[in-house]
Amino acid sequence: MKKIIFSLATLGLVLVACKKEASPASDAVKTDSAVVSSDSLADPDTTDTIAAANYTAAATNTQTAEKVRKFLQTEFKKDVDSKALQDNDKKFIQFEFDINDDGKKEIFVGLNGPYFCGTGGCTQYILNEDGTKLANFTVSDYPVVIDNTKTNGYKDLFIMSGGKYRIVKFDGKTYPSNPSTLPELKVVPGDGLPRALNYLNEPYPWFKF
């Protein structure tokens, strides 16, 4: 009788041990589902092979893209209606960054295609957080480097134009629209400075308007 009781007790310990060993497996299932959930994020650009989670974080917000889209559709309504813009012209990239430290992120917008780009560069915009225009630039290449110093409350920018980085300062209302006429930056901007619209070196989704 004692042997039977001992055997039952031993069997009980084995069952308890098995249950304890099974719990990590259930944790693994939760972890896997979390991974799947993050991988199943809506892809803002299905025309490439980049997974949604691998894009540059400041470039992917679809709500921000909708603000940009509405602005561009209004800004270029005549060109869209007249079909002056081809499909390749109606693409943009974006980058959110707070350039005046007010807690709201401004939106850098880069355009593409032969309508907006030439040998000197492309057309770019900076929008306020609400989607209204703060500044626009012509003949500007990518990326836009954001300096730590400020002028009139907004960070200075280094914009490539004509093969040279130009120093672009806020004048109290906006930034000058033609960087090619501005003073040249005599050194290469530091690697530690943020680079907006850096799609040539980082994964960016392209949106359409």
Side-chain angles (χ1 to χ4, degrees):
M1 187 67 176
K2 288 182 179 179
K3 288 182 179 179
I4 293 173
I5 292 172
F6 177 77
S7 297
L8 289 173
T10 303
L11 180 60
L13 288 172
V14 171
L15 289 173
V16 170
C18 288
K19 287 182 179 178
K20 286 183 178 179
E21 290 175 359
S23 60
S26 62
D27 290 341
V29 171
K30 290 179 182 177
T31 302
D32 289 342
S33 65
V35 171
V36 171
S37 175
S38 66
D39 286 345
S40 62
L41 293 170
D43 192 334
D45 184 357
T46 58
T47 63
D48 58 30
T49 59
I50 302 170
N54 293 338
Y55 286 116
T56 300
T60 61
N61 191 307
T62 54
Q63 292 180 337
T64 299
E66 187 58 30
K67 295 177 187 177
V68 176
R69 185 177 292 113
K70 288 180 179 179
F71 168 79
L72 293 174
Q73 287 173 343
T74 301
E75 184 83 347
F76 298 103
K77 185 178 187 306
K78 291 182 180 179
D79 303 285
V80 171
D81 291 345
S82 66
K83 301 188 184 304
L85 297 181
Q86 304 301 312
D87 286 343
N88 196 43
D89 298 315
K90 295 187 286 186
K91 294 166 59 178
F92 67 91
I93 51 176
Q94 63 185 28
F95 185 87
E96 295 181 275
F97 194 90
D98 185 359
I99 55 177
N100 62 348
D101 294 326
D102 66 348
K104 297 178 181 179
K105 293 179 180 179
E106 283 69 39
I107 310 163
F108 290 79
V109 180
L111 297 171
N112 192 39
Y115 191 88
F116 295 110
C117 298
T119 55
C122 298
T123 298
Q124 302 174 8
Y125 285 87
I126 301 178
L127 306 184
N128 295 301
E129 186 269 344
D130 62 0
T132 56
K133 182 169 72 172
L134 176 65
N136 69 283
F137 307 108
T138 57
V139 292
S140 300
D141 278 333
Y142 303 106
V144 176
V145 182
I146 304 169
D147 195 20
N148 291 322
T149 59
K150 288 181 182 178
T151 302
N152 295 313
Y154 283 73
K155 292 182 183 294
D156 296 344
L157 307 176
F158 304 138
I159 299 180
M160 182 73 75
S161 184
K164 300 175 181 179
Y165 274 110
R166 306 289 179 166
I167 304 170
V168 185
K169 296 177 179 286
F170 193 72
D171 66 9
K173 293 183 179 180
T174 188
Y175 288 94
S177 62
N178 188 350
S180 67
T181 64
L182 300 176
E184 178 187 348
L185 181 68
K186 299 296 185 180
V187 297
V188 177
D191 290 340
L193 295 175
R195 280 161 163 74
L197 308 177
N198 193 21
Y199 78 96
L200 294 173
N201 299 296
E202 299 175 16
Y204 269 69
W206 285 91
F207 298 93
K208 291 185 177 181
F209 68 94

